[in-house]
Amino acid sequence: MKKNIVPKRILITGGAGFLGSHLCERLLEQGHEVLCVDNYFTGRRRNVAHLLDDPRFELMRHDVTFPLYVEVDEIYNLACPASPIHYQHDPVQTTKTSVHGAINMLGLAKRTGAKILQASTSEVYGDPEIHPQREEYWGNVNPIGPRACYDEGKRCAETLFFDYHRQHRLRIKVARIFNTYGPRMQPDDGRVVSNFILQALRGEPITLHGDGSQSRSFCYVDDLIDGLIRLMESGSDVTGPINLGNPVEFTVRELAEQVIEMTGSSSPLVNHPRPDDDPSQRRPDISRASDLLGWTPSVQLAHGLRRTIDYFSALIGEGASP
């Protein structure tokens, strides 16, 4: 039996990005009005171009480090470059996006009475000393390293969310997102899934940082979007933080070998030095998401990789630029 949905006006910052564009689609399918806000630093207009004719969809170019004055019922705050290549390009702006962006969106939520969700990250755990990572773990983050602009910016954003909740009784939700992949990833984002697929499709050497023994857990985008919406729709007593990710763990080398097999590529594996503060392992404990949201990911890696490979194959065939 289909659940009755009360239409809402929903703001998505970073809405033209990888996750944001999928979230826009899903919320429109549910019958909501969607205001998509993006400054196109890493987001792309083409990610939402197919939505522009929908009368319930609105696209606005705006940088969340500046205040935004709109009327909305809910806010998904996804705005921030999320890959090391992008967030290290302008680390000061990355920190501003996380911190000033959170302050501006929280101020908007306070004025309008909107419920607000923060897209936080597994990077708040740093290079973890416990495995898998539970929400109670405070993390092992280098506050002055090259990744700190993102890690500490997101940690500060979480602080702001909970302080606004305690001080102003805002209705908040905080999701800690683990590695997510799928169509509309940026080709130049430097993440292992997009890197490996593009290198394999082009017949280029596949670059492993270190010996490839570091582990990651890969969640397909459809599952992640389902988790975000379930968290937003959860009861007022569920604030988070809640881990959202796939608990099935793979080494980076195993991922590379699977991509080579699925693309039929002859690309060799080559080893490069590991970047500073690169986490050696990453896997979420999703017990809280399962218990409170009834959420567990369902898309197997092979199925999600096939859809992602097909997307990048089409992108190469179109000659689309990153």
Side-chain angles (χ1 to χ4, degrees):
M1 187 173 177
K2 190 174 180 180
K3 184 169 70 171
N4 290 327
I5 300 289
V6 177
K8 294 184 284 283
R9 181 163 170 78
I10 300 175
L11 166 64
I12 304 173
T13 71
F18 164 46
L19 294 181
S21 61
H22 286 276
L23 181 59
C24 287
E25 277 182 342
R26 188 78 64 87
L27 293 173
L28 286 170
E29 288 170 3
Q30 291 184 348
H32 300 296
E33 292 183 24
V34 172
L35 172 58
C36 170
V37 167
D38 208 295
N39 69 348
Y40 303 125
F41 177 63
T42 57
R44 293 292 181 268
R45 183 181 172 88
R46 70 165 178 256
N47 288 340
V48 293
H50 61 295
L51 305 176
L52 292 174
D53 290 335
D54 191 319
R56 291 175 291 108
F57 179 75
E58 182 180 353
L59 178 60
M60 177 188 297
R61 185 167 194 151
H62 181 81
D63 187 325
V64 296
T65 61
F66 297 93
L68 181 63
Y69 302 101
V70 293
E71 302 301 321
V72 292
D73 303 304
E74 292 180 352
I75 302 167
Y76 287 84
N77 187 36
L78 275 57
C80 190
S83 71
I85 284 179
H86 290 148
Y87 65 64
Q88 291 172 354
H89 172 73
D90 189 344
V92 172
Q93 185 63 26
T94 296
T95 303
K96 284 182 177 180
T97 300
S98 288
V99 178
H100 291 185
I103 290 170
N104 287 329
M105 291 305 107
L106 287 163
L108 176 61
K110 180 184 173 187
R111 182 181 66 79
T112 61
K115 190 191 306 182
I116 181 169
L117 182 147
Q118 167 68 5
S120 190
T121 172
S122 61
E123 295 299 324
V124 300
Y125 299 121
D127 190 2
E129 296 171 322
I130 67 166
H131 194 70
Q133 292 79 58
R134 293 181 57 85
E135 291 89 349
E136 294 85 357
Y137 178 50
W138 290 354
N140 177 39
V141 174
N142 176 3
I144 59 171
R147 300 170 70 106
C149 58
Y150 185 68
D151 301 0
E152 296 288 31
K154 289 288 191 177
R155 285 163 70 95
C156 184
E158 286 196 16
T159 300
L160 286 162
F161 266 68
F162 279 91
D163 282 340
Y164 265 78
H165 174 63
R166 286 183 287 258
Q167 187 172 341
H168 301 297
R169 308 180 74 84
L170 250 62
R171 296 178 295 158
I172 68 162
K173 310 285 179 180
V174 175
R176 289 179 178 165
I177 298 172
F178 282 67
N179 292 63
T180 305
Y181 71 100
R184 299 191 204 130
M185 294 182 79
Q186 276 292 92
D188 62 348
D189 67 5
R191 302 189 208 192
V192 288
V193 172
S194 51
N195 268 8
F196 290 175
I197 290 175
L198 283 170
Q199 288 169 339
L201 290 173
R202 292 167 175 162
E204 300 169 352
I206 290 183
T207 53
L208 295 179
H209 291 133
D211 61 3
S213 63
Q214 60 271 46
S215 70
R216 296 292 184 268
S217 303
F218 302 102
C219 185
Y220 189 65
V221 61
D222 288 357
D223 283 331
L224 192 280
I225 296 304
D226 180 49
L228 289 177
I229 292 174
R230 286 180 184 233
L231 177 55
M232 180 65 95
E233 293 177 348
S234 61
S236 58
D237 58 326
V238 180
T239 59
I242 288 185
N243 290 337
L244 294 178
N246 196 317
V248 180
E249 190 174 12
F250 296 87
T251 67
V252 173
R253 178 176 287 273
E254 287 173 335
L255 174 69
E257 290 169 347
Q258 185 160 355
V259 167
I260 289 172
E261 180 182 349
M262 293 182 69
T263 56
S265 175
S266 57
S267 294
L269 300 178
V270 296
N271 300 95
H272 286 199
R274 284 180 63 180
D276 291 343
D277 301 329
D278 181 44
S280 59
Q281 52 189 6
R282 181 78 84 228
R283 176 162 68 93
D285 183 315
I286 62 168
S287 302
R288 188 178 289 185
S290 178
D291 293 343
L292 298 178
L293 308 179
W295 179 84
T296 55
S298 61
V299 179
Q300 301 297 315
L301 181 64
H303 296 152
L305 280 179
R306 172 48 55 202
R307 297 174 196 173
T308 311
I309 289 168
D310 290 346
Y311 169 78
F312 280 115
S313 295
L315 206 62
I316 290 173
E318 295 167 3
S321 60

